[in-house]
Amino acid sequence: MNLTSQNWAALMPLLVPSVAACLIPIASLDKDQDTVKSVRAAMFGMALLALGVSFFYFTRIWATGQNVFFSNLKMDRLGQFSGIFVTVAAMMALLQLWDHLHHEGWMKGETLSLLLFSAVGMMLFASTTNLLMMFLGLELLSLPLYVLTATVRFREESIEGGMKYFITGAVASSCFLMGTVLLYGLTGTLELDGIGTAILTTGADPLILVGAVLLLMGFLFKISAVPFHQWTPDAYEASPHPIAGFMSVATKGVAVIALMRAFPGAIGLHTATGQRVGMALAVLAAATMIIGNLSALPQTNVKRMLAYSSISHAGYLLLGFVAGTPEAYTGVLFYLVIYLAMNMAAFGMLTAFGLVGEHTQFEDLRGLGWKRPVLGVAAVITMLSLAGIPPMGGFFGKYFIFKELVKTGHVGLAVLGVTASLVSVYYYLRVVVALFLEQPSESQVREASEKPEIQSFLSTTTVLICAAIILAGGFFQNLLVDGFAAKALKEGIEILR
Amino acid sequence: MQKIAWLIPILPLIGSAFNGLIGKKAGKKAVSIVGVGTVVASFLTALWVFFAMKDAPGHRLDLIYGTWMATGSLTVPFGLTIDPLSGTMMLVVTGISALIHLYSVGYMAEEEGYARYFCYLNLFVFFMLTLVLGNSLPLLFVGWEGVGLCSYLLIGYAFETETAPAAGLKAFLFNRTGDMGMAIGMMALFALFGTLTIGDILNQAGHMQAEVGFGVLTFATLMLFVGATGKSAQIPLYLWLPDAMAGPTPVSALIHAATMVTSGIYMICRLAPVFSLTPITMTTIAWVGGLTALLAATIGLVQRDIKKVLAYSTVSQLGYMFLGLGSAGFAAGFFHVFTHAWFKALLFLGAGSVIHAMHHEQDLFRMGGLKEKLPITFWTMLIATLCIMGIPGFSGFFSKDEILYLAFLKSPALWAIGLVAACCTAFYMARLMALAFLGEPRDSHAYEHAHEAPMTMTLPLVVLAVGAVVAGFWGIPKVLGGTFAVEHWLEPALTYGHAEAEAGSVHEGPAMMLMGISVAAAAGFGLFGWSLYKNGTEKSERLAAKFPGAHTILLNKYFLDELVEGYLLRPTRWFGNVLWKLFDVIIIDGIGVNLPGALTRVAGDFTALLQTGRVRNYVLSMGLGVLVLLYIFLK
């Protein structure tokens, strides 16, 4: 088989991390205590390098403005966008993992390898329109994540959460596969475009619609929309914080992008089926915002709160699909960028404060803002942005989506969205209150004085970078919207051009 | 070149910023130099601009520096107007300010917060000049509010005491009440004229007929007058001024005697063509002014605190000014502002010198015999006393007599009120002088240590004394062969080149006789007071014992403070409590805010119950979700 340079360009960003993922476990076989530190550094370096090369490739391709491909792998602008998105999230997770695993005292090479595999799966998932390839990507991203969730094996919750994620995930995957089978059987094609045309020309066979529903459920599970969301808090609580952040950001992001390729990429909003999808998404988005936000209120664990918060953000993202205008989808992509920064910062903040294991209650945050003021301010910026308070980026993400909702006549949903984010202010500000306004209890002070000082340079750096992105999203959003999100969308999805 | 006029207000602002920001570190010497220097520089600039204005066509400089705000039909420029009225006022403000700043250097030398004091005082000069020079009502209002703020800050200067901050607050609240009227009046004028630039309003007013009955214009001017009663301490908003004496004495002299409290009169003069269109307002002004003059003068008869006497005297004199304005004598009213600024500042500074010498003793009944110890203070204060009494040849005579004459033309009753007030004035001033300077020292300890003040304090006294004598000759009445030059000078500003010369400038009929009566009465009561108190307080106590009822009422200032407390403040406080406890705590906080919060929280607890932690339930909910989707897709 002769590969053109274009084929290589499409393949390389996926190949490099895959190769690195294979090499890292070999390096971790070295059990010599004298060299353990340098081996660790080498493994992290290799993983970081692989992701960095991949990131570099994506930016180079983006700069040329070409849509490269290899067989069913479509590295168009949207694929490049998701590639950049995933590699950035993975790199941040990697940097935070270095600190987190040191705090937790659990350093294994396979963790990094699994992370890389998962990242490759995500890139694949978001850059194809072939259902079988998509399924391949879905499995390649899911299976490593199940294991990653249970990384820290000596914690019982870790195993439990991983297992729950695995079982529910298996159900979702099989539904996705079943949907694929139905669609292939009835339309004779695995290409999304072909399925779309077949539905348009033959009319909607009920079985095709059943297939579409099953497929849709596969996406919604990964987006963690209600009622396919219940694994989320358990899985996030079980995972190491950087993995939870990575899961919440990258999985949700690529699932949203893949959903975009199917709907509206293959089935437009104006078709009869498209309108049903839109209605279904509207119902689920409303339920997601309500249940996500309300359930976040009584949480005592920051990570569970963030899990419900990520569920509610899934609701806001789905609202963009309901509006269905090119500007709304641009808003969704912009929101994803800001969301990446917000959640990587929110989970990274816990690592940077040195709160690992069980120490992720709100009480554990008390007074830490005064101890680490710079980090504290970054955390405040993150929380304000999550709550959607201007001038943070999170506000504009929501604003773009709600604006389009109102324009397309979905005023009720927009009001619900605004009310929901109003409710969310309460639980986000609890973090700020704990960080700056509450005094640590005496036992906490004693414990803190006994422990050695927390070394978390890398995770602190990522949190600060994220805070900078959030602020940039607030003050220079035109750059991100027009230069990045809109381009990716318009050159990636034909229907919106 | 005249555009340099912006320096006049800005220089004191720079001084204020310097003293406020780095004054404490820079030291007292630097604060004194900057504080006094900027005001003196401002005075010199003002002098230069004043002569430029005099040479300008129509005696008028309109300097526009740009647009301040432009919204809809409202455009307000940033500009200064210098005409005979604002020019004269600007010189009075900067000149007397400069003298009082200099005096303060000596008076405040040992006080804490020296830099803070000069910061506020400079800031006051800035705002006062904004008020005087601003060419639009909003700009005037900025100055109006600003001087109120500075007044509040300076009254409460000794914030560690109990009385000073309370007095400051009282002044501020009374002023706010008036300011509300001022703002309403401005809005009414805008509704009527469509502009807030003073020149444009006056131009339009010149073409209008006087309003018959009670119309919008009357309402607007009445509201503006409410603002003036607040700032210039007239009935019913005068109660704050006596309490304002809690501030340092130079502040009382500058703000609460010479300049700020006259801004109400200044504002009415500024808008004279508008006010003269509304006879109802004019009559109201005259009566309020006359009654205030009488009321305050009678209270002044029995006060023991030297500054309180002067405070009531100020209220009373301000009443005279309004009486003049209301009797269509804008020039006469303003002339009294002008002369009063000199002799009342002098009186306060003299009182300050006495207080300084007596180690902060303000009770007249514990003074006495200070004439030998404080010769300069005594002689300069005596000049001021003769001025305020209205003795011929001294400035107060010229201005007060003009007002009384105009009041007579308006209504003989007003003239009678003014005359009685003048008699009281003569009496309490003579009493003050006699108690402080004559007789035996009643507090020998303080008397032993009393000494004349330093140069920085006596120099302003002498300068002001000269000014107090000379100022009157600017307006020699026609009946005495003069020309009442001040009226001619102010005419372009007061009539804005439209209306003909005011009524009342032609002296006829009983002018000479009225003058004779008032001079005789003033001199008589002055001598009476002098003889009653020159040998101590026994004679007066016997007199008071004969009229115990009247004495008690006067001593307690007609129980007006108590009435306000009982019938106004207490119900308001009660009403406020009701609003707080019922509306704020129960309705807004409880039902409006906390109830939805609690409901949301309960809903959250409920949805959290859905999360059972069992995988079989998770999968069940996923299955239900698929069913819902199927229903939506297949229905």
Side-chain angles (χ1 to χ4, degrees):
Chain A
M1 195 163 55
N2 282 325
L3 293 182
T4 64
S5 61
Q6 292 229 329
N7 295 151
W8 277 115
L11 261 181
M12 280 305 278
L14 276 70
L15 273 183
V16 174
S18 310
V19 172
C22 296
L23 291 176
I24 287 170
I26 301 175
S28 73
L29 287 177
D30 182 13
K31 297 289 181 199
D32 191 342
Q33 286 301 314
D34 299 335
T35 55
V36 66
K37 272 191 179 168
S38 36
V39 169
R40 259 183 219 170
M43 289 190 301
F44 267 91
M46 197 190 292
L48 197 62
L49 185 69
L51 287 169
V53 167
S54 180
F55 174 75
F56 178 73
Y57 258 104
F58 280 123
T59 53
R60 295 305 300 165
I61 305 174
W62 180 277
T64 63
Q66 283 182 323
N67 291 332
V68 294
F69 62 92
F70 171 71
S71 180
N72 283 320
L73 181 66
K74 275 193 180 169
M75 271 304 160
D76 53 10
R77 283 268 188 180
L78 196 57
Q80 294 156 26
F81 174 89
S82 31
I84 293 173
F85 182 79
V86 169
T87 44
V88 169
M91 281 194 281
M92 286 191 176
L94 201 63
L95 293 174
Q96 293 175 4
L97 266 178
W98 174 265
D99 286 338
H100 186 90
L101 296 181
H102 273 95
H103 293 164
E104 198 134 321
W106 185 270
M107 199 49 140
K108 303 282 175 196
E110 67 264 23
T111 312
L112 305 182
S113 171
L114 289 167
L115 182 71
L116 290 183
F117 275 129
S118 176
V120 172
M122 288 171 183
M123 295 176 210
L124 184 58
F125 187 47
S127 45
T128 177
T129 53
N130 184 296
L131 282 180
L132 208 56
M133 289 298 287
M134 231 180 223
F135 181 67
L136 190 65
L138 181 65
E139 287 304 284
L140 185 54
L141 82 89
S142 303
L143 289 170
L145 278 183
Y146 302 145
V147 184
L148 280 173
T149 303
T151 299
V152 188
R153 288 199 292 272
F154 57 79
R155 280 179 58 205
E156 258 177 51
E157 299 81 4
S158 218
I159 308 283
E160 186 194 328
M163 204 60 202
K164 281 179 179 168
Y165 188 22
F166 173 61
I167 293 171
T168 49
V171 172
S173 290
S174 30
C175 285
F176 187 92
L177 192 57
M178 193 65 203
T180 309
V181 168
L182 280 175
L183 288 174
Y184 179 65
L186 291 165
T187 61
T189 172
L190 281 169
E191 278 295 321
L192 281 172
D193 287 340
I195 295 170
T197 6
I199 291 177
L200 273 183
T201 49
T202 60
D205 185 324
L207 267 186
I208 288 189
L209 291 181
V210 172
V213 164
L214 292 175
L215 204 63
L216 187 60
M217 183 211 156
F219 291 122
L220 292 176
F221 177 82
K222 285 294 171 200
I223 297 176
S224 66
V226 171
F228 315 107
H229 69 288
Q230 294 192 306
W231 58 274
T232 320
D234 294 338
Y236 286 9
E237 198 187 1
S239 344
H241 312 332
I243 300 297
F246 179 67
M247 264 161 59
S248 74
V249 167
T251 317
K252 197 179 303 244
V254 291
V256 164
I257 291 168
L259 180 59
M260 266 186 202
R261 287 195 186 274
F263 171 84
I267 304 172
L269 184 69
H270 49 278
T271 62
T273 318
Q275 279 177 348
R276 285 173 188 232
V277 180
M279 199 195 297
L281 288 182
V283 171
L284 293 192
T288 306
M289 285 187 302
I290 293 171
I291 294 195
N293 277 309
L294 288 181
S295 305
L297 291 176
Q299 301 303 326
T300 55
N301 186 323
V302 180
K303 272 173 89 183
R304 285 189 85 86
M305 182 277 279
L306 285 175
Y308 284 109
S309 132
S310 92
I311 293 171
S312 65
H313 281 277
Y316 305 133
L317 289 168
L318 288 181
L319 283 181
F321 287 84
V322 177
T325 59
E327 287 76 22
Y329 287 110
T330 311
V332 169
L333 287 191
F334 170 74
Y335 201 7
L336 279 181
V337 174
I338 301 301
Y339 179 70
L340 178 147
M342 293 191 300
N343 262 27
M344 289 315 290
F347 284 101
M349 151 200 105
L350 293 175
T351 304
F353 280 126
L355 304 172
V356 296
E358 309 303 310
H359 293 286
T360 53
Q361 305 292 319
F362 277 104
E363 294 111 67
D364 296 316
L365 285 173
R366 279 183 191 163
L368 288 180
W370 295 113
K371 266 193 193 165
R372 310 271 301 274
V374 177
L375 190 58
V377 168
V380 170
I381 291 174
T382 308
M383 290 301 145
L384 292 181
S385 178
L386 278 167
I389 290 171
M392 308 299 167
F395 165 76
F396 290 99
K398 280 180 191 161
Y399 171 72
F400 291 138
I401 293 173
F402 292 166
K403 190 179 71 183
E404 292 305 311
L405 267 184
V406 174
K407 266 193 198 162
T408 52
H410 299 90
V411 180
L413 276 177
V415 170
L416 182 67
V418 173
T419 316
S421 44
L422 205 66
V423 170
S424 74
V425 173
Y426 169 75
Y427 56 80
Y428 291 129
L429 286 190
R430 277 177 73 192
V431 173
V432 178
V433 169
L435 280 177
F436 283 102
L437 301 181
E438 288 178 352
Q439 297 293 326
S441 67
E442 275 178 31
S443 61
Q444 279 172 327
V445 174
R446 209 176 323 116
E447 263 178 51
S449 62
E450 284 163 8
K451 269 195 289 187
E453 200 166 325
I454 298 148
Q455 298 292 331
S456 57
F457 174 73
L458 291 177
S459 49
T460 308
T461 312
T462 59
V463 172
L464 294 182
I465 292 172
C466 288
I469 295 175
I470 291 170
L471 288 177
F475 291 104
F476 310 105
Q477 81 253 154
N478 287 345
L479 196 76
L480 276 172
V481 172
D482 300 333
F484 200 39
K487 248 186 198 168
L489 197 72
K490 299 222 167 118
E491 294 177 27
I493 297 177
E494 208 160 316
I495 219 165
L496 295 177
R497 230 166 262 171
Chain B
M1 211 30 215
Q2 295 108 353
K3 280 223 159 188
I4 202 90
W6 61 269
L7 270 178
I8 301 170
I10 294 301
L11 278 170
L13 183 65
I14 295 171
S16 170
F18 174 86
N19 289 331
L21 296 176
I22 51 173
K24 208 163 179 184
K25 280 189 195 140
K28 281 191 177 178
K29 201 160 187 183
V31 169
S32 315
I33 292 170
V34 173
V36 180
T38 50
V39 179
V40 170
S42 171
F43 173 67
L44 294 176
T45 319
L47 211 58
W48 189 83
V49 172
F50 183 82
F51 284 110
M53 177 267 288
K54 224 177 148 197
D55 297 336
H59 294 326
R60 184 176 178 79
L61 292 176
D62 267 314
L63 309 170
I64 306 291
Y65 297 98
T67 308
W68 179 13
M69 44 183 160
T71 53
S73 60
L74 173 67
T75 308
V76 180
F78 248 130
L80 304 179
T81 297
I82 294 137
D83 61 5
L85 181 68
S86 63
T88 312
M89 194 69 182
M90 151 183 99
L91 283 186
V92 172
V93 169
T94 50
I96 293 186
S97 291
L99 289 175
I100 291 179
H101 274 71
L102 183 63
Y103 179 89
S104 298
V105 172
Y107 190 82
M108 300 300 288
E110 273 116 53
E111 298 288 327
E112 289 285 317
Y114 188 76
R116 178 165 61 94
Y117 173 83
F118 273 98
C119 167
Y120 295 161
L121 208 61
N122 280 349
L123 189 65
F124 167 76
V125 179
F126 162 71
F127 278 124
M128 190 68 207
L129 287 168
T130 310
L131 190 162
V132 170
L133 297 177
N135 75 338
S136 64
L137 287 177
L139 204 54
L140 183 147
F141 195 60
V142 168
W144 188 273
E145 294 288 294
V147 291
L149 169 73
C150 294
S151 157
Y152 162 76
L153 290 172
L154 283 165
I155 294 169
Y157 171 76
F159 59 79
E160 63 280 354
T161 63
E162 204 168 301
T163 48
L169 193 61
K170 186 170 177 183
F172 199 68
L173 290 178
F174 271 92
N175 269 300
R176 294 300 308 163
T177 315
D179 293 347
M180 207 166 57
M182 180 80 186
I184 294 172
M186 269 169 56
M187 290 173 217
L189 281 188
F190 177 66
L192 215 58
F193 293 99
T195 174
L196 285 173
T197 313
I198 293 173
D200 295 346
I201 291 178
L202 300 188
N203 258 331
Q204 290 186 38
H207 299 292
M208 288 168 75
Q209 295 293 319
E211 195 169 75
V212 185
F214 193 96
V216 181
L217 199 57
T218 307
F219 172 75
T221 47
L222 270 180
M223 280 298 136
L224 291 174
F225 176 58
V226 169
T229 59
K231 190 94 359 195
S232 297
Q234 297 298 291
I235 293 173
L237 298 177
Y238 75 91
L239 291 170
W240 65 272
L241 188 56
D243 286 24
M245 296 302 128
T249 307
V251 170
S252 308
L254 178 61
I255 300 185
H256 305 118
T259 53
M260 183 191 87
V261 288
T262 60
S263 49
I265 293 111
Y266 174 79
M267 184 265 293
I268 291 178
C269 286
R270 187 80 276 187
L271 297 172
V274 180
F275 274 85
S276 49
L277 293 176
T278 54
I280 295 178
T281 311
M282 294 295 276
T283 310
T284 314
I285 294 176
W287 277 97
V288 169
L291 290 175
T292 310
L294 180 63
L295 182 86
T298 51
I299 297 175
L301 292 174
V302 296
Q303 295 302 312
R304 287 178 56 154
D305 184 327
I306 182 168
K307 282 181 76 181
K308 282 276 159 73
V309 177
L310 291 178
Y312 281 105
S313 158
T314 304
V315 176
S316 166
Q317 296 300 313
L318 291 168
Y320 269 113
M321 296 168 200
F322 280 103
L323 178 60
L325 297 183
S327 312
F330 293 106
F334 185 75
F335 187 36
H336 200 51
V337 169
F338 180 70
T339 56
H340 177 256
W342 292 101
F343 61 71
K344 188 49 72 64
L346 174 53
L347 281 173
F348 265 109
L349 294 190
S353 175
V354 171
I355 294 166
H356 187 75
M358 297 292 287
H359 297 282
H360 296 277
E361 180 57 74
Q362 301 195 9
D363 189 347
L364 281 169
F365 282 24
R366 299 171 67 84
M367 296 177 183
L370 288 171
K371 186 178 154 194
E372 276 77 40
K373 290 275 188 176
L374 308 172
I376 303 177
T377 309
F378 171 71
W379 288 110
T380 51
M381 270 186 92
L382 188 64
I383 291 172
T385 304
L386 295 175
C387 285
I388 196 172
M389 280 178 179
I391 302 301
F394 294 90
S395 61
F397 162 75
F398 298 106
S399 51
K400 190 191 265 184
D401 205 67
E402 185 69 20
I403 288 174
L404 282 176
Y405 173 70
L406 291 172
F408 182 81
L409 292 186
K410 176 115 185 156
S411 153
L414 282 173
W415 173 80
I417 290 174
L419 184 67
V420 175
C423 297
C424 295
T425 308
F427 178 82
Y428 66 66
M429 283 315 298
R431 167 178 177 268
L432 184 149
M433 289 302 287
L435 280 175
F437 292 102
L438 301 181
E440 294 299 309
R442 285 176 286 276
D443 183 345
S444 53
H445 176 72
Y447 178 80
E448 294 298 320
H449 292 82
H451 56 89
E452 188 65 283
M455 253 289 280
T456 51
M457 287 168 68
T458 50
L459 182 68
L461 289 180
V462 174
V463 175
L464 283 171
V466 173
V469 175
V470 176
F473 292 97
W474 190 27
I476 301 171
K478 289 176 185 160
V479 68
L480 293 183
T483 54
F484 203 52
V486 57
E487 183 168 43
H488 180 68
W489 167 242
L490 289 176
E491 197 187 310
L494 291 179
T495 62
Y496 215 71
H498 287 287
E500 63 283 9
E502 300 162 36
S505 55
V506 191
H507 281 224
E508 79 229 330
M512 206 64 188
M513 186 187 78
L514 294 176
M515 187 182 288
I517 294 175
S518 62
V519 169
F525 273 88
L527 285 174
F528 174 48
W530 190 265
S531 63
L532 196 61
Y533 286 96
K534 73 177 176 197
N535 292 323
T537 57
E538 295 83 20
K539 276 193 209 169
S540 69
E541 272 156 14
R542 258 180 277 139
L543 188 68
K546 275 186 201 161
F547 305 99
H551 189 252
T552 316
I553 288 176
L554 289 183
L555 205 56
N556 289 293
K557 310 153 207 164
Y558 296 97
F559 295 99
L560 278 169
D561 273 313
E562 286 74 11
L563 285 176
V564 169
E565 169 68 30
Y567 289 96
L568 200 66
L569 296 187
R570 218 172 285 156
T572 311
R573 249 181 249 132
W574 177 84
F575 186 57
N577 265 325
V578 169
L579 288 184
W580 167 38
K581 286 185 177 142
L582 181 70
F583 283 88
D584 203 53
V585 175
I586 295 179
I587 295 181
I588 293 178
D589 283 357
I591 298 172
V593 177
N594 287 337
L595 186 67
L599 288 179
T600 314
R601 187 62 202 257
V602 169
D605 289 337
F606 173 72
T607 58
L609 284 182
L610 296 176
Q611 185 81 16
T612 55
R614 289 159 206 259
V615 181
R616 54 178 183 273
N617 295 349
Y618 294 4
V619 177
L620 177 67
S621 100
M622 287 166 70
L624 288 175
V626 171
L627 286 181
V628 170
L629 287 183
L630 279 177
Y631 173 75
I632 295 175
F633 271 65
L634 295 177
K635 72 168 178 201

